[in-house]
């Protein structure tokens, strides 16, 4: 499936076309999947497309059944993959460096802020621990980390992490906050405290942006992403020497069909009075 972003450049070839290949949904194999790095780079490039410095084309690939031309070109490489003028960039760090140094306007997204960089660095690993351990101690550690982000936003009193315009750190943080919100609630009933008003204000502003809403996976895809991880981990723990996967059960196939038919939902509500937020 190929999805080209609307109003993302001119048709005269005045701006370079950048293609971003991202993982497709593990439910229907077509819509956007729940890969964090895919969404992060999608957001980076979408912002540049809005500024008309590039034309952006986004292609989803079903990694459970990758098309033959994808396997021929990229073998076992998993998205995200960035293609710029025929050049394919395959590794996350190289993609980030290419956007910063070689994509027109990209350098403006990559600001230097050591405080923000260190603050958001280990946030996602705390979510993973919450989902694996499922105990209050890990939930408290994640809650405390979110509290530090809330305190920074409160102190700086800016719309985004480093100022009133978005940067690479926002494209990194917000997809992780969405996974925390959706997967945390589903698996362990974890919720971002409503007392973190600066953090909710930040999320409210992010939910208004096309760069986030156009790149955001459905709740069902975020949940299924972690279900598959847990099933994989459980299977390895039970059968470390297993070489052949079992056929899916009839109930699993029925559940898969149900998920495919289910209308995708996107959690973007704010649990506090928006009118009271300082905009």
């Amino acid at each position: 499936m190929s999805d080209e972003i609307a109003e993302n450049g001119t048709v005269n070839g005045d701006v370079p076309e950048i293609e971003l290949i991202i993982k497709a949904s593990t439910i229907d194999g077509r819509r956007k999947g729940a890969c964090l790095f895919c969404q992060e780079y999608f957001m980076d490039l979408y912002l540049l497309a809005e500024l008309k410095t590039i034309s952006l084309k986004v292609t989803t690939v079903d990694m459970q059944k990758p098309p033959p031309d994808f396997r021929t070109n990229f073998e076992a490489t998993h998205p995200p993959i960035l293609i710029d003028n025929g050049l394919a960039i395959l590794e996350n760090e190289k993609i980030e460096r290419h956007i910063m140094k070689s994509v027109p306007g990209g350098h403006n997204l990559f600001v230097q802020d050591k405080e923000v960089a260190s603050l958001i660095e280990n946030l996602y690993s705390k979510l993973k621990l919450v989902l694996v351990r499922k105990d209050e101690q890990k939930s408290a550690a994640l809650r405390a980390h979110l509290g530090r982000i809330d305190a920074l936003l409160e102190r700086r009193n800016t719309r985004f992490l480093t100022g009133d315009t978005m940067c690479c750190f926002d494209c990194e943080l917000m997809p992780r906050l969405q996974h925390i919100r959706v997967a945390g609630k589903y698996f362990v009933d974890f919720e971002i405290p409503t007392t973190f008003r600066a953090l909710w204000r930040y999320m409210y502003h992010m939910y208004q942006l096309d760069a986030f809403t156009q790149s955001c996976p459905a709740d069902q895809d975020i949940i299924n992403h972690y279900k598959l991880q847990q099933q994989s981990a459980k299977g390895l723990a039970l059968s470390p020497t297993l070489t052949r996967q079992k056929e899916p059960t009839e109930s699993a196939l029925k559940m898969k069909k149900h998920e495919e038919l289910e209308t995708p939902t996107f959690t973007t509500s704010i649990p506090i009075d928006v009118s009271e937020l300082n905009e």
Side-chain angles (χ1 to χ4, degrees):
M1 176 185 175
S2 176
D3 177 23
E4 243 180 288
I5 308 303
E7 297 181 4
N8 60 346
T10 64
V11 290
N12 302 324
D14 294 340
V15 294
E17 180 180 85
I18 304 292
E19 181 177 7
L20 182 67
I21 300 173
I22 64 174
K23 290 181 182 178
S25 162
T26 53
I27 295 173
D28 74 353
R30 295 187 299 276
R31 64 180 183 245
K32 298 179 291 290
C35 167
L36 283 167
F37 288 108
C38 292
Q39 187 181 4
E40 179 181 340
Y41 302 141
F42 192 159
M43 289 179 69
D44 284 332
L45 294 168
Y46 193 102
L47 291 170
L48 298 178
E50 285 187 320
L51 294 171
K52 309 291 186 184
T53 65
I54 63 167
S55 171
L56 176 61
K57 177 183 178 183
V58 177
T59 304
T60 58
V61 173
D62 182 357
M63 293 308 295
Q64 295 171 327
K65 295 180 291 185
D69 61 335
F70 180 86
R71 289 198 299 267
T72 300
N73 292 327
F74 305 113
E75 298 180 350
T77 302
H78 279 241
I81 297 169
L82 186 147
I83 301 176
D84 183 359
N85 195 29
L87 174 67
I89 298 98
L90 307 181
E91 298 173 26
N92 291 339
E93 287 185 6
K94 291 180 179 178
I95 290 173
E96 192 170 301
R97 194 178 309 121
H98 187 85
I99 294 172
M100 177 172 61
K101 294 185 175 296
S102 302
V103 175
H107 64 281
N108 293 320
L109 293 173
F110 290 85
V111 302
Q112 299 295 316
D113 193 315
K114 290 183 179 179
E115 183 182 15
V116 169
S118 62
L119 189 57
I120 67 176
E121 186 177 16
N122 297 316
L123 177 65
Y124 184 60
S125 63
K126 288 188 171 65
L127 170 64
K128 297 293 289 288
L129 284 172
V130 167
L131 298 182
V132 170
R133 301 285 180 82
K134 298 183 179 180
D135 63 42
E136 179 51 35
Q137 184 181 5
K138 299 305 178 189
S139 293
L142 176 58
R143 202 175 296 114
H145 197 138
L146 291 169
R148 291 194 293 275
I149 297 174
D150 175 73
L152 176 137
L153 290 164
E154 181 69 36
R155 173 165 47 84
R156 294 191 172 189
N157 195 29
T158 52
R159 186 174 292 244
F160 303 112
L161 284 169
T162 61
D164 289 326
T165 56
M166 279 182 65
C167 71
C168 61
F169 294 125
D170 299 295
C171 298
E172 181 179 347
L173 175 62
M174 188 59 196
R176 285 154 178 76
L177 291 175
Q178 189 71 1
H179 279 231
I180 289 169
R181 188 177 186 191
V182 174
K185 176 64 178 174
Y186 181 88
F187 290 102
V188 293
D189 201 30
F190 179 91
E191 293 185 328
I192 300 172
T194 55
T195 53
F196 294 171
R197 299 184 64 78
L199 182 58
W200 280 113
R201 181 185 63 205
Y202 172 82
M203 294 174 70
Y204 167 74
H205 289 309
M206 294 297 295
Y207 285 143
Q208 312 306 307
L209 299 176
D210 288 344
F212 179 76
T213 59
Q214 292 295 319
S215 63
C216 186
D219 295 347
Q220 291 89 339
D221 288 304
I222 293 174
I223 291 165
N224 201 53
H225 175 78
Y226 294 101
K227 280 184 180 178
L228 292 174
Q229 285 189 0
Q230 291 179 0
Q231 288 170 10
S232 176
K234 197 176 295 183
L236 287 171
L238 291 172
S239 306
T241 59
L242 190 65
T243 57
R244 183 168 169 237
Q245 287 188 323
K246 291 182 179 179
E247 292 295 318
T249 63
E250 185 177 348
S251 62
L253 289 171
K254 284 182 178 178
M255 177 59 72
K256 172 79 171 169
K257 193 66 180 174
H258 170 74
E259 289 174 334
E260 287 178 357
L261 293 173
E262 191 177 3
T263 301
T265 58
F266 298 86
T267 298
T268 58
S269 59
I270 300 294
I272 59 178
D273 190 349
V274 174
S275 65
E276 294 180 4
L277 296 175
N278 293 323
E279 299 189 276

